[in-house]
Amino acid sequence: YGSERKDNVAVEARDHVKTFHKLFFSLDPDDKVIKINVTKALYLADDSAKRVYDDLKENGFYSGIISGNISQTVQIDSVAVDIGEYPYRFSCYARQHIIRTTSILKRSLITQGSLRNVSRSDNNPHGFLIERWTTVENKDLGVENRK
């Protein structure tokens, strides 16, 4: 079983990073949905992610999503994980779509962090914890008007 884990580390690590980003950045104008997704995401990362969530919450980001009937989706383009050194460093390249009533804003998102092994659980099936998670880039790519 030990060697099986080793063979699958890169695959599981990439999936862990993808899952976290999908949960953290997929938002709908519904307080319950936001709480459920973010709570699931926070099981997969350390307090670096919790601090980002707290800052966004404090700055009215989530209430703006709800009051503006905004949805946000994230599309993961790629995840690079360096399993040559532990804890494993990763970079995640993604695009966000912020969907408003009249327009869709497209943004590029690049984040980095590292992964350490933790116990597997229902809340964390891959048994990784994202640490020192930072956003390297989050910039507008363009706006598309909705018909």
Side-chain angles (χ1 to χ4, degrees), residues 3-143:
S3 68
E4 211 177 277
R5 166 76 178 185
K6 202 168 156 290
D7 297 341
N8 291 329
V9 160
V11 172
E12 289 200 31
R14 282 194 302 271
D15 195 58
H16 183 88
V17 172
K18 279 182 194 165
T19 301
F20 167 78
H21 284 79
K22 281 187 176 148
L23 288 167
F24 196 89
F25 290 106
S26 296
L27 304 170
D28 281 310
D30 179 324
D31 196 35
K32 279 200 177 96
V33 171
I34 293 169
K35 275 201 177 80
I36 289 166
N37 284 353
V38 170
T39 301
K40 284 180 187 171
L42 293 178
Y43 278 114
L44 307 179
D46 71 359
D47 64 331
S48 59
K50 176 81 168 85
R51 280 196 304 272
V52 172
Y53 169 70
D54 289 343
D55 287 349
L56 288 169
K57 196 173 172 175
E58 208 170 284
N59 294 327
F61 176 76
Y62 297 107
S63 43
I65 292 259
I66 295 162
S67 65
N69 284 315
I70 297 166
S71 292
Q72 179 176 285
T73 61
V74 67
Q75 182 184 337
I76 312 296
D77 294 325
S78 68
V79 176
V81 180
D82 176 10
I83 59 164
E85 208 178 318
Y86 182 81
Y88 313 123
R89 300 275 311 144
F90 72 84
S91 298
C92 179
Y93 303 88
R95 274 172 300 181
Q96 293 170 288
H97 291 120
I98 297 158
I99 303 151
R100 296 186 168 91
T101 313
T102 55
S103 65
I104 299 172
L105 172 64
K106 294 177 181 175
R107 303 185 65 120
S108 77
L109 175 70
I110 302 171
T111 69
Q112 289 178 337
S114 55
L115 293 166
R116 78 172 158 94
N117 295 320
V118 293
S119 301
R120 291 176 191 250
S121 69
D122 287 342
N123 291 322
N124 188 340
H126 294 115
F128 287 114
L129 192 71
I130 291 172
E131 298 183 310
R132 293 188 290 284
W133 181 58
T134 58
T135 298
V136 179
E137 177 183 288
N138 191 358
K139 68 173 189 202
D140 293 2
L141 296 175
V143 178

